[in-house]
Amino acid sequence: MNILAAVGIEVPFTLPIVDYNAIAPLLILLGAGVVSVLVEAMLPRGSRRFIQLFIVFGALVAALAWIFTITGVRVITAEGAIAIDGPALVMQGAILVLAILGALLMAERSIDPSGDAFAARASALPGSEDEKQFTARGYLQTEVWPLFLFAVSGMVLFVSANDLLLMFVALEVMSLPLYLLAGMARRRRLLSQEAALKYFLLGAFSSAFFIYGVALVYGYAASTQLPAIASVLTAKPGQTSLALIGMALILVGLLFKVAAVPFHQWTPDVYQGAPTAVTGFMAATVKIAAFGALMRVLYVAFGGMRWDWVPMMWIIAILTMLVGSIIAISQSDIKRMLAYSSIAQAGFILVGVIAASPAGLAGALFYLIAYGFTTIGAFAVISMVRDESGEATNLSKWAGLGRKSPFVGSVFALFMLALAGIPLTSGFIGKFSVFAAAIASGDTWLVIVAVVASIIAAFFYVRVIVVMFFTEPGPQTASVEVPSVFTTIALAAGATVTLVLGILPQPVLELVSNADLFIR
Amino acid sequence: MTEVNLGEEIVFWISGGLAVLGALGMILSKKAVHSALWVALTMINLAILYIANSAPFLGMVQVIVYTGAVMMLFLFVLMVVGVDSSDSLIETLKGQRLVSIVLAIGLAILLIAGVGAGLTDVVPVGLEEANGVDGGNVEGIARLLFTDYLIAFEVTSALLITAALGAMVLAHRERWLPRASQAELSRSRFLGAGHPGNLPSSGTYARHNAVDTPALLPDGSPSELSIPGPLVARGDVRPIDHHDVDQIESLGGGTK
């Protein structure tokens, strides 16, 4: 910090104070991302994959380990731009663990006979001679790894951003690599590219709403820092129309990322088109990151306007739960069905957000963690169920799968039961904690709607189990490929956590309740 | 500070109007190049407005970066890619255009009314302080970038790296065959379907000699080979004016 002074350069302003210890996980990830880009630029093709995996897993584990050393830190640093507090640390930890599982899925190379989940060269036109040649030569697009690291850095920053402008930058750092990763599937490439384009265009729109909202809020509060906005709201409670419009526009941007109705249109296409490994990673981690930012904005900056945002969020939560659950029933593609399921789940988490109490925050955090592990496990199974044309995502191909491969079938059934919220799975504890928190805050009617939506949702989760176990396997039933150790670990971790959080949720419940509140 | 003087008001109404005109033109033009030029108009007028609002740094950056770099790059890309870039105007969802226009107008009314209501009776303050504290607008922004927005500024680099990497991943073509040598190329031109020598140059006539004018074959028909491919694809080939040809031939006294 005093280097400049030491060499005799006079600085005409006070240098910012940054708590490098508290933001070290972010710096590790960003640094690893840059190193990873250099590896792409400088090393020969053959050695890249191994080194990239080494960097990615090394960085994720190092960042996670660092978080364990700073669990007691509660600090607002970098001139108020970053808040490292209990919820931020919990969410950063959860994002990193789930990112490790996501990276394991992305590193899988034995399921698809021709390589990993990504196109040999994303730049080769689908169906062209180039594409055939690159695939035949076993090229791998190792650029996915730096993109992955930047996406994780963006998420880690997103949940701790205490300044709307930094939050916007983090949102883009998180989203841009995901747009790219979504378009790089090895199979059904046109579908994948269409998904990426849709995700990019709609994402750009939602970012524009977000930044317009930030501008209006800045016009109101003369600051982009969340606590400063809150104090201006208390100081002049009367003239809030700018803050109100600004808040609404910011929420559009954030609700787009959590896939809440009516900002959910991208979800089914992107979940279906993206490579399954990316879908699993994205479904689990983006949800956590986006809900983290949403809760921080609502509680820290706009806590004083609670009576303005609660009715709006009620409507959105109800729509999200019902639309997600009802449309999921009519889906015949399993990835699309899980996309609508993720919309419905976002609605259930919103119930906890609306409760706006310590119990609601803890419940939402628990739900997000439980949902993340279950989802990543479910997509791991989907990536293994294949026929000769690639992944068999049509439900008709899943008929009798449970009898053909009882073990994988049962694991998938466990994930479905957890998503439906059946007791003894993590999903039940998650639903129970957010619903209990909402009732304690007086939102009983919302909980009644949520329970109805859960029952509707249970129908399509259980239907998958019925299709898998209560139909005879036919000639068109897909087969389960034997994965390498990568997917096996991810799948085992997802299943174990889903079961353990259902039977022994206490340690994690304590973790999320001891996380305190967001600091101001 | 609350006083808006006459000059500023005139600048606002002219530049603001032109900016809106540019934005409308951008949406309504059918050719991508025209759209790009309309955007340039909007950008320049926004820059003028920024400068009029005591934000010279932002104004200059707007001109240099957006109008200068981004828009010109955009035009280059359009020119290079070139191939028919007018949009398809067929609605794939029935009634979508109507619904979106209605919703857009609704949103506009809501925003204008809301922001308008929010800004009446507001006394603007702080402009002199913001520009004065560090001895100027540029110095003020510099201080903010290295203090309050240090992390945001640094993390933006991750965004730029991602963008560069993404462009490479999506657009960089690698070759899986070694590059053909001069001898191989020439052999394949003569043995294969390619054109053995140089392609014919474009037509050179009394009135036209640009690259969009096709050379004529002995039978009077235009030679496809004499025109660059992108021009053919874009439909920019100049048709042969047979009246001209006849006229010139009769002047030369030639027989048909």
Side-chain angles (χ1 to χ4, degrees):
Chain A
M1 198 142 303
N2 293 322
I3 300 169
L4 291 178
V7 293
I9 297 173
E10 196 189 328
V11 182
F13 55 83
T14 346
L15 286 168
I17 297 162
V18 181
D19 185 344
Y20 290 104
N21 179 40
I23 64 166
L26 172 72
L27 300 180
I28 291 172
L29 291 167
L30 284 173
V34 173
V35 173
S36 181
V37 172
L38 291 178
V39 166
E40 284 304 317
M42 298 186 175
L43 291 188
R45 197 182 306 119
S47 58
R48 281 186 214 157
R49 176 181 146 93
F50 178 74
I51 295 172
Q52 291 290 18
L53 289 182
F54 181 74
I55 295 173
V56 167
F57 286 107
L60 291 175
V61 170
L64 189 62
W66 199 294
I67 284 182
F68 279 108
T69 68
I70 55 169
T71 44
V73 171
R74 304 282 184 270
V75 64
I76 291 185
T77 183
E79 303 293 300
I82 294 183
I84 300 293
D85 49 19
L89 286 170
V90 167
M91 284 186 281
Q92 289 183 339
I95 287 170
L96 286 170
V97 175
L98 290 167
I100 291 175
L101 301 190
L104 286 170
L105 290 187
M106 282 168 56
E108 176 64 58
R109 210 164 47 157
S110 1
I111 292 180
D112 195 313
S114 60
D116 58 9
F118 299 95
R121 279 293 174 267
S123 55
L125 292 178
S128 64
E129 180 61 24
D130 273 5
E131 185 194 35
K132 278 193 209 103
Q133 292 290 344
F134 286 130
T135 312
R137 277 150 213 257
Y139 277 39
L140 293 176
Q141 186 91 58
T142 38
E143 281 88 349
V144 296
W145 294 111
L147 292 174
F148 173 84
L149 279 173
F150 284 125
V152 178
S153 333
M155 293 171 194
V156 163
L157 180 60
F158 200 40
V159 293
S160 60
N162 197 38
D163 180 300
L164 287 173
L165 212 59
L166 182 60
M167 195 177 267
F168 176 71
V169 175
L171 174 73
E172 292 301 310
V173 173
M174 166 178 96
S175 309
L176 217 55
L178 290 178
Y179 302 148
L180 287 160
L181 289 174
M184 289 164 67
R186 179 174 286 267
R187 311 263 176 166
R188 301 197 183 93
R189 290 189 57 198
L190 287 177
L191 205 64
S192 170
Q193 292 180 347
E194 184 190 336
L197 191 66
K198 270 188 187 162
Y199 196 17
F200 172 64
L201 286 178
L202 293 175
F205 271 127
S206 80
S207 297
F209 277 106
F210 184 91
I211 196 72
Y212 191 24
V214 173
L216 292 180
V217 170
Y218 179 76
Y220 171 76
S223 172
T224 51
Q225 297 191 346
L226 304 181
I229 295 166
S231 55
V232 174
L233 272 174
T234 15
K236 38 175 189 177
Q239 347 149 335
T240 54
S241 55
L242 267 191
L244 203 59
I245 302 172
M247 178 184 75
L249 293 173
I250 289 173
L251 288 184
V252 169
L254 294 174
L255 289 169
F256 174 87
K257 282 289 158 201
V258 308
V261 178
F263 315 109
H264 67 291
Q265 311 284 1
W266 58 276
T267 320
D269 289 332
V270 174
Y271 275 37
Q272 186 187 14
T276 305
V278 172
T279 312
F281 161 67
M282 182 167 83
T285 50
V286 172
K287 203 106 329 171
I288 299 184
F291 266 107
L294 179 71
M295 288 193 284
R296 191 180 290 280
V297 166
L298 283 181
Y299 296 166
V300 177
F302 297 110
M305 289 170 74
R306 178 153 187 256
W307 300 116
D308 292 309
W309 57 258
V310 161
M312 191 166 77
M313 296 297 279
W314 256 69
I315 298 172
I316 287 173
I318 290 175
L319 276 177
T320 308
M321 290 185 287
L322 290 179
V323 170
S325 308
I326 292 171
I327 299 185
I329 294 177
S330 63
Q331 299 305 315
S332 59
D333 184 287
I334 193 118
K335 280 171 94 176
R336 267 186 110 75
M337 193 203 84
L338 281 185
Y340 280 105
S341 135
S342 102
I343 295 170
Q345 305 283 346
F348 298 134
I349 304 171
L350 279 177
V351 172
V353 175
I354 291 171
S357 62
L361 173 62
L365 288 180
F366 183 90
Y367 202 126
L368 285 166
I369 294 171
Y371 171 77
F373 280 97
T374 309
T375 307
I376 231 167
F379 280 105
V381 174
I382 292 176
S383 72
M384 290 157 50
V385 177
R386 307 176 77 91
D387 58 13
E388 62 284 349
S389 69
E391 282 165 14
T393 52
N394 198 297
L395 259 184
S396 61
K397 302 261 177 74
W398 286 59
L401 193 78
R403 297 191 176 189
K404 205 168 159 185
S405 318
F407 182 69
V408 172
S410 321
V411 173
F412 197 69
L414 169 71
F415 293 136
M416 290 296 107
L417 292 176
L419 288 174
I422 307 292
L424 293 184
T425 61
S426 58
F428 174 74
I429 311 284
K431 280 211 172 70
F432 181 78
S433 34
V434 291
F435 292 175
I439 288 182
S441 299
D443 298 315
T444 316
W445 281 105
L446 191 61
V447 173
I448 292 174
V449 177
V451 170
V452 172
S454 307
I455 296 168
I456 301 174
F459 173 78
F460 61 81
Y461 293 126
V462 173
R463 191 184 58 176
V464 177
I465 300 178
V466 171
V467 165
M468 284 197 305
F469 285 95
F470 297 94
T471 19
E472 287 297 325
Q476 57 155 6
T477 303
S479 50
V480 176
E481 295 293 325
V482 180
S484 71
V485 63
F486 292 117
T487 303
T488 315
I489 296 176
L491 185 58
T496 314
V497 173
T498 303
L499 209 56
V500 169
L501 287 188
I503 300 167
L504 285 172
Q506 212 51 42
V508 178
L509 279 178
E510 267 168 28
L511 175 77
V512 292
S513 352
N514 292 342
D516 309 327
L517 298 177
F518 293 108
I519 52 171
R520 283 145 203 277
Chain B
M1 189 51 240
T2 56
E3 296 280 301
V4 176
N5 62 33
L6 184 66
E8 192 176 341
E9 202 161 332
I10 293 172
V11 168
F12 171 77
W13 285 110
I14 293 178
S15 282
L18 284 174
V20 173
L21 183 75
L24 286 175
M26 183 252 166
I27 299 177
L28 297 176
S29 12
K30 283 184 182 161
K31 285 204 167 178
V33 177
H34 296 178
S35 283
L37 293 174
W38 281 117
V39 175
L41 176 71
T42 303
M43 295 291 183
I44 289 179
N45 280 292
L46 288 182
I48 294 171
L49 288 178
Y50 293 149
I51 294 171
N53 279 299
S54 312
F57 179 74
L58 188 57
M60 291 323 288
V61 167
Q62 175 86 6
V63 172
I64 295 167
V65 176
Y66 281 95
T67 327
V70 177
M71 286 323 298
M72 290 312 120
L73 203 63
F74 194 72
L75 279 177
F76 278 147
V77 172
L78 280 180
M79 293 300 187
V80 172
V81 176
V83 187
D84 181 34
S85 42
S86 63
D87 294 327
S88 150
L89 293 174
I90 299 163
E91 278 186 303
T92 43
L93 299 174
K94 203 161 180 286
Q96 186 198 17
R97 198 174 301 160
L98 187 72
V99 173
S100 50
I101 287 174
V102 169
L103 288 179
I105 291 174
L107 181 68
I109 291 174
L110 199 67
L111 283 178
I112 291 170
V115 175
L119 290 182
T120 41
D121 309 329
V122 168
V123 185
V125 287
L127 197 52
E128 269 103 26
E129 290 85 336
N131 279 341
V133 167
D134 302 287
N137 180 261
V138 180
E139 289 84 348
I141 289 175
R143 186 182 58 78
L144 280 180
L145 280 185
F146 287 101
T147 55
D148 288 11
Y149 297 109
L150 175 73
I151 301 286
F153 183 61
E154 294 293 337
V155 173
T156 310
S157 59
L159 206 57
L160 296 180
I161 297 173
T162 309
L165 194 61
M168 290 295 285
V169 166
L170 293 181
H172 176 63
R173 291 272 174 84
E174 273 174 77
R175 44 175 62 251
W176 43 274
L177 280 176
R179 186 183 285 275
S181 70
Q182 197 71 42
E184 282 164 340
L185 281 176
S186 144
R187 203 168 295 132
S188 76
R189 257 204 308 274
F190 277 91
L191 297 177
H195 196 271
N198 292 342
L199 292 173
S201 54
S202 58
T204 308
Y205 306 109
R207 294 189 189 173
H208 310 290
N209 65 350
V211 284
D212 63 344
T213 321
L216 294 185
L217 295 171
D219 64 353
S221 64
S223 162
E224 287 278 332
L225 291 174
S226 63
I227 304 286
L231 288 184
V232 180
R234 227 190 303 174
D236 278 349
V237 179
R238 184 182 292 277
I240 293 167
D241 189 341
H242 287 283
H243 180 71
D244 255 16
V245 177
D246 292 346
Q247 203 178 5
I248 289 161
E249 272 175 351
S250 67
L251 280 175
T255 47
K256 274 188 96 174

